[in-house]
């Protein structure tokens, strides 16, 4: 299961659990010292919002109770495990309204949140205040921009929020307001995570220096070539928090590694010695902090951390049984040369299985993968899909191509205007770098990608380097992405490719759909039929093109799945089908007892 949105309230900790065994239902769970975790949101409710389609910030808790956005109707509901079933606080007369990123007022009587209304004239976003008893309709308190995020009340009732407008994404340019007055941000500056300290001072993260650093009323607290936040794809990031004594505990990424440390007034930040490489949802709790942490060999877990001693207590692990370390591969961060005299980055995993040894002199096959987004980064936490390959004798390289986050604004913007070019170059360069170093078999390399990295994988398959490929709900037609996608990403390609329709020729050149006759290797495709981000039509058109080109391929479709697979049966079928596909193409018989995938051949 997945863990997210850790939230403290008094003695309690709350978090959201994504449960594949319950068809991906999102369940808010409550815990206090001495108690067992208990579900607060009962079935069939699911605490999941679809604002911006990617959601996040689906619940909040405070003196007024616990409030959540229910997936099936997107209404706001109030839940109390001691007072019967949840009750709605927004009406059903406007079934097209969605809510996210809420916070309760200091007195608990009002809830401020981002609202997204889907009307006949288009999608409208604003910030609204909702009475927690549902007695009156939502009241608009901020409007006039394309997008809003992070409305946050101070103890004395001031309200801060973020806003940005097309064609920018929040990591390109955003603005921070307090009661309608802009206090930070603008063109060329990305602002994230506004938060009020205990003494009523507004803090935020800004990349005005080229790095996402932490600020207190505009003053940099610890200037570093490091990133104290990530791209705001979803609501509710929390990478820093305030302790009662005035210190700040913060997480940051530098040189491809994540850290957690303590910042005292007037002093540099001091890293804590912890066995984790991923930190999220960092919040003050008791005398220390609570967070969701992970490492390449440890699955995400809710923990408490004593910032003075480094003592860690695990509250909830995403996997009840740890994976035997004898079957786990620990990644090596690598840098490698790529086109244009640049350097790119990746995590490299060698095969690892204590029960098996490769034949002497045999080099392993390689799976090249990369993150979606494309504005994102390779995960530093335990990735079971990666370990699935490495435990079966296959090496993996997870590429942080130019455009990835964690390396500063200049590296992030190196993809501007070049999506479908430098990302492909970097994946090819990573594969060749490892093959030239005799770490992998250059004749048995495959590439896979999902969503945005599906485009990268598909284009890379036209270069004659890879023996096979896989696309999971991948982008095949950039023009369709620009004209048939949701509001949040409707202008994303303006920066990555060029303004539509002025750059229509570039969109066609970069679209794998129009290079199907250049594909040089068999391909397997996976698609959710409820996908609104990359609609099924993109995969369907690509399948038609593959048939015309006479290439072997397999195509698996899944009812009830959207952009990213959530159901346990889907997740299992996808990974087993992909292994079967590679086995048939590369000429090996998987040791697993799995259902073979049917390959359509010319």
């Amino acid at each position: 299961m997945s863990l997210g949105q850790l939230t403290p309230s008094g003695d309690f900790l709350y978090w959201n659990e994504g449960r594949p065994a319950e068809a991906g239902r999102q369940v808010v769970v409550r815990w206090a010292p001495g108690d067992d975790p208990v579900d607060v949101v009962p079935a069939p409710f699911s605490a999941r919002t679809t604002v911006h389609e990617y959601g996040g910030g689906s619940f909040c808790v405070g003196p007024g109770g616990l409030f959540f956005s229910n997936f099936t109707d997107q209404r706001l509901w109030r839940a109390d495990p001691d007072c019967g079933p949840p009750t709605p606080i927004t009406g059903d007369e406007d079934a097209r309204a969605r809510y996210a990123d809420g916070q309760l007022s200091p007195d608990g009587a009002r809830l401020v949140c981002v609202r997204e209304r889907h009307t006949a004239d288009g999608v409208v976003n604003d910030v609204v205040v909702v009475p927690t008893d549902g007695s009156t309709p939502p009241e608009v308190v901020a409007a006039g921009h394309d997008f809003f995020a992070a409305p946050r009340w101070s103890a004395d009732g001031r309200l801060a929020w973020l806003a940005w407008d097309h064609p920018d994404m929040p990591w390109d340019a955003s603005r921070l307001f307090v009661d309608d007055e802009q206090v930070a941000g603008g063109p060329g500056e990305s602002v994230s995570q506004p938060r009020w300290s205990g003494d009523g001072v507004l803090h935020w993260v800004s990349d005005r220096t080229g790095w996402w650093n932490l600020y207190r009323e505009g003053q940099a607290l610890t200037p570093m070539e490091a990133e104290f936040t990530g791209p705001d794809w979803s609501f509710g990031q929390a990478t820093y928090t305030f302790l009662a004594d005035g210190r700040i505990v913060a997480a940051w990424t530098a040189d491809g590694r994540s850290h957690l440390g303590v910042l005292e007034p007037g002093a540099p930040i001091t890293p804590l010695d912890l066995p984790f490489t991923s930190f999220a949802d960092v919040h003050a709790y008791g005398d220390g902090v609570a967070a969701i942490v992970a490492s390449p060999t440890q699955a995400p877990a809710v923990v408490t951390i004593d910032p003075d001693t480094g003592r860690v207590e695990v509250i909830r692990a995403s996997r009840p049984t740890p994976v035997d370390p004898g079957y786990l591969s620990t990644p090596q961060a690598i840098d490698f040369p790529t086109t244009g005299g640049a350097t790119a980055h990746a995590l490299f995993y060698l095969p690892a299985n204590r029960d098996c040894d490769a034949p002497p002199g045999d080099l392993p096959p390689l799976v090249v993968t990369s993150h979606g987004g494309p504005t994102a980064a390779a995960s530093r936490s335990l990735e079971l899909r990666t370990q699935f390959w490495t435990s079966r004798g296959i090496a993996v390289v997870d590429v942080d191509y130019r455009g990835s986050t964690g390396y500063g604004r200049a590296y992030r913007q190196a993809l501007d205007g070049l999506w479908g070019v430098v990302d492909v170059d970097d994946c090819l360069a990573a594969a060749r770098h490892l093959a030239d170093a005799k770490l992998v078999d250059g004749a048995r390399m495959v590439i896979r990608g999902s969503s945005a990295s599906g485009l990268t994988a598909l284009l890379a398959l036209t270069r004659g380097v890879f023996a096979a490929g896989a696309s999971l709900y991948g982008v095949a037609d950039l023009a369709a992405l620009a004209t048939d996608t949701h509001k949040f990403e409707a202008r994303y390609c303006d920066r990555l490719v060029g303004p539509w329709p002025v750059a229509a020729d570039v969109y066609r050149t970069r679209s794998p759909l129009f290079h199907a006759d250049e594909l040089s290797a068999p391909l397997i495709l996976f698609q959710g039929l409820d996908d609104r981000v990359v609609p099924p039509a993109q995969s369907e058109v690509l399948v038609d093109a593959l048939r015309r080109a006479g290439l072997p391929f397999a195509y698996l479709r899944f009812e009830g799945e959207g952009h990213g697979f959530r159901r346990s049966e889907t997740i299992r079928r996808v990974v087993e089908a992909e292994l079967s596909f590679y086995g048939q193409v590369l000429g090996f018989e998987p040791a697993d007892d799995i259902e073979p995938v049917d390959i359509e051949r010319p």
Side-chain angles (χ1 to χ4, degrees), residues 265-319:
I269 196 163
T270 302
L272 297 174
D273 185 14
L274 297 167
F276 309 115
T277 55
S278 175
F279 302 90
D281 295 278
V282 179
H283 293 280
Y285 177 69
D287 295 328
V289 296
I292 297 176
V293 302
S295 77
T297 58
Q298 295 172 283
V302 174
V303 303
T304 58
I305 302 171
D306 186 325
D308 296 313
T309 66
R311 181 178 178 273
V312 176
E313 179 184 358
V314 177
I315 307 303
R316 180 79 135 192
S318 59
R319 290 184 57 84

Side-chain angles (χ1 to χ4, degrees), residues 140-189:
V140 176
V141 294
H145 292 277
D146 289 327
F147 302 100
F148 295 87
R152 298 293 180 260
W153 259 310
S154 67
D156 60 1
R158 288 174 290 166
L159 188 62
W161 67 85
L162 297 173
W164 65 96
D165 296 289
H166 280 144
D168 290 319
M169 299 297 283
W171 47 84
D172 297 322
S174 54
R175 303 171 189 271
L176 173 60
F177 293 86
V178 176
D179 294 335
D180 290 322
E181 178 185 352
Q182 183 177 328
V183 298
E189 179 180 0

Side-chain angles (χ1 to χ4, degrees), residues 239-366:
T239 57
Y240 71 96
T241 191
F242 308 103
L243 300 181
D245 60 11
R247 294 181 295 168
I248 295 175
V249 175
W252 71 96
T253 300
D255 301 321
R257 179 177 170 81
S258 295
H259 311 264
L260 188 75
V262 181
L263 178 62
E264 301 195 31
I269 196 163
T270 302
L272 297 174
D273 185 14
L274 297 167
F276 309 115
T277 55
S278 175
F279 302 90
D281 295 278
V282 179
H283 293 280
Y285 177 69
D287 295 328
V289 296
I292 297 176
V293 302
S295 77
T297 58
Q298 295 172 283
V302 174
V303 303
T304 58
I305 302 171
D306 186 325
D308 296 313
T309 66
R311 181 178 178 273
V312 176
E313 179 184 358
V314 177
I315 307 303
R316 180 79 135 192
S318 59
R319 290 184 57 84
T321 304
V323 180
D324 188 320
Y327 301 102
L328 294 178
S329 174
T330 301
Q332 172 190 355
I334 62 170
D335 302 325
F336 53 91
T338 187
T339 54
T343 298
H345 315 281
L347 298 178
F348 177 54
Y349 298 78
L350 281 166
N353 188 318
R354 69 178 189 182
D355 298 329
C356 303
D357 292 312
D362 186 52
L363 295 176
L366 175 68

Side-chain angles (χ1 to χ4, degrees), residues 525-529 536 539-540 555-559 561 565:
L525 301 103
F526 303 93
Q527 179 69 51
L529 296 182
S539 290
E540 302 286 351
Y555 179 39
L556 280 73
R557 302 177 297 171
F558 299 96
E559 296 276 0
E561 293 285 9
F565 301 141

Side-chain angles (χ1 to χ4, degrees), residues 19 51 105 145 300 304 316 412 523 542 568 587 593 595 597:
R19 298 177 179 173
V51 177
S105 59
H145 292 277
T304 58
R316 180 79 135 192
R412 189 168 80 241
L523 176 65
L542 185 59
S568 57
D593 182 15
E595 177 186 352
V597 68

Side-chain angles (χ1 to χ4, degrees), residues 458-592:
L458 291 167
L459 288 174
L461 287 168
T462 67
R463 302 286 192 92
V465 172
F466 297 105
S471 172
L472 293 84
Y473 41 91
V475 176
D477 185 357
L478 282 170
L481 190 66
T483 59
D484 183 24
T485 192
H486 56 118
K487 179 185 176 184
F488 181 61
E489 291 185 89
R491 302 289 300 278
Y492 188 22
C493 291
D494 281 25
R495 185 180 293 269
L496 295 174
V497 182
W500 177 265
V502 175
D505 289 345
V506 180
Y507 280 73
R508 185 179 179 89
T509 300
R510 306 271 180 83
S511 294
L513 174 64
F514 302 107
H515 298 275
D517 58 340
E518 301 172 37
L519 290 170
S520 57
L523 176 65
I524 186 168
L525 301 103
F526 303 93
Q527 179 69 51
L529 296 182
D530 293 344
D531 194 338
R532 294 262 305 139
V533 179
V534 179
Q538 293 219 21
S539 290
E540 302 286 351
V541 175
L542 185 59
V543 164
D544 291 340
L546 288 166
R547 285 197 179 103
R548 292 194 302 271
L551 271 175
F553 72 92
Y555 179 39
L556 280 73
R557 302 177 297 171
F558 299 96
E559 296 276 0
E561 293 285 9
H563 198 67
F565 301 141
R566 297 175 180 271
R567 298 180 177 183
S568 57
E569 60 269 25
T570 304
I571 295 168
R572 178 169 186 154
R573 179 56 183 149
V574 166
V575 72
E576 290 183 347
E578 195 173 344
L579 177 62
S580 170
F581 184 79
Y582 293 153
Q584 293 181 57
V585 171
L586 299 181
F588 65 83
E589 184 69 31
D592 308 69

